[in-house]
Each structure stands twice: as C-alpha cells, then as structure tokens.
Amino acid sequence: MTQRLNAMPLTSDAFCAFGDVLEATGTADKIINQGLCGRFHDRAQLDFGPDGRAGISVFQSEIVTWPINVGLVERHPEGSQAFICMSAHPFLVFVAEDNNGTPANPRAFVAAPGQGINFHRNIWHGVLTPLYAPGLFAVIDRIGTTPNLEEHRFDTPYLVEPGQKCISAGLV
C-alpha cells in the first residue's frame, strides 16, 4: 500500500519553510561585468556549522519516471545542502516537516528549468530525484568530520504524481 501525493510547481513562498529557491527572478540586485551581467545576490542561507566548511561536489544520478515512489528521506543536522541542476531540467523536490524527530506532512514540488534549491539545516528531504538525463547536479554542502546524515524509511511509501499545475506549466 502507498500514500498518494501530488507534486506542485516550486515557488519561493511554498518552499520557504524548508529552504531557499535559487533562481534569477525579478530585477538583478547588481549589474556587473561592464554592464553585461545581472547578479542576483546572496540567494541562499548556506550553513556549514562551526566545525564544517563549504564543499562543492558533482553528482550524477539515475533518472526517475512518474509516478515516483518515495520511501526514504534524509536530513543533515550539521548543515544546509543545495542542489543545482547542471542541465537545466526539471527535478522532483520532496520535503517534510519535523514532528519530534520524525518526518510529517510531506510536500512535493517540481523545480523548473533554471531553478535550484537549498535545504536548510535539519530539513527532512528526499534524495536527489532528476526527471531527465543526464541527472547531473552541482551540490553545495557541508564538509566535516562530524556525522551529518540521518535517514528515515517510511512504513508506507509515498507515490508522487505530477499535480495539474505541474502539467499545465509544462514541467512533466
């Protein structure tokens, strides 16, 4: 048996309790490089804790297809984690609130091409879930010697399907 969940388009307002949406929207904060480049400044609350440092890794993940079975979430108690798709394709973002150490009230989003995300410290989230090949992502997260991963397996997995707003927006 599974629980069903419809994904919705990723927006800053809908995602703010879980992290930051990384995108170039609105007017650039600064114009740089001899007027040729708009800088959308300081778009994420990066947090690597007192004993960590920032690291940039490149992940290449297998793609998934709809409907998507989510049976595992994780969180990073020592720092934030950002995913930036290097091929400008949509990807699934699965998050959940914390209820006394257990994930609760999950939500699913589809990041549009040109969007990335930054999970704040200690936010339950699904694993990297690309919808299109090559599944290549830049990941900015904490590098350190203390444990920074906690996993939770759902007794009943979630079956995530694209919501009508994702379909209408052409994200699937």
Side-chain angles (χ1 to χ4, degrees):
M1 179 123 195
T2 57
Q3 303 177 77
R4 294 191 176 273
L5 185 65
N6 285 330
M8 54 196 279
L10 180 68
T11 65
S12 292
D13 288 342
F15 192 70
C16 68
F18 307 103
D20 311 299
V21 175
L22 310 175
E23 61 187 339
T25 58
T27 303
D29 299 298
K30 299 176 183 181
I31 302 299
I32 59 173
N33 297 344
Q34 299 177 321
L36 299 175
C37 181
R39 179 175 175 155
F40 295 81
H41 186 69
D42 199 19
R43 294 293 168 126
Q45 296 177 34
L46 301 176
D47 177 0
F48 306 112
D51 297 320
R53 65 174 177 83
I56 299 176
S57 303
V58 176
F59 289 18
Q60 187 161 22
S61 179
E62 293 185 24
I63 62 168
V64 297
T65 57
W66 299 104
I68 299 165
N69 190 348
V70 178
L72 170 78
V73 290
E74 62 184 35
R75 66 180 176 178
H76 307 286
E78 297 291 325
S80 58
Q81 185 177 51
F83 292 159
I84 302 169
C85 184
M86 294 174 67
S87 61
H89 287 110
F91 62 98
L92 181 72
V93 179
F94 186 94
V95 290
E97 298 171 8
D98 181 71
N99 182 11
N100 295 315
T102 303
N105 303 317
R107 297 182 68 189
F109 301 95
V110 177
Q115 287 182 316
I117 54 94
N118 177 57
F119 296 118
H120 289 169
R121 178 195 290 224
N122 227 21
I123 293 296
W124 289 111
H125 63 87
V127 299
L128 186 60
T129 312
L131 301 169
Y132 296 90
L136 194 60
F137 286 76
V139 178
I140 299 104
D141 62 358
R142 180 185 180 278
I143 305 297
T145 58
T146 57
N148 191 32
L149 175 64
E150 183 179 343
E151 295 180 333
H152 175 86
R153 293 188 188 280
F154 293 113
D155 292 333
T156 304
Y158 287 87
L159 188 66
V160 181
E161 299 177 290
Q164 187 57 47
K165 288 184 180 181
C166 287
I167 295 167
S168 297
L171 296 175
V172 294

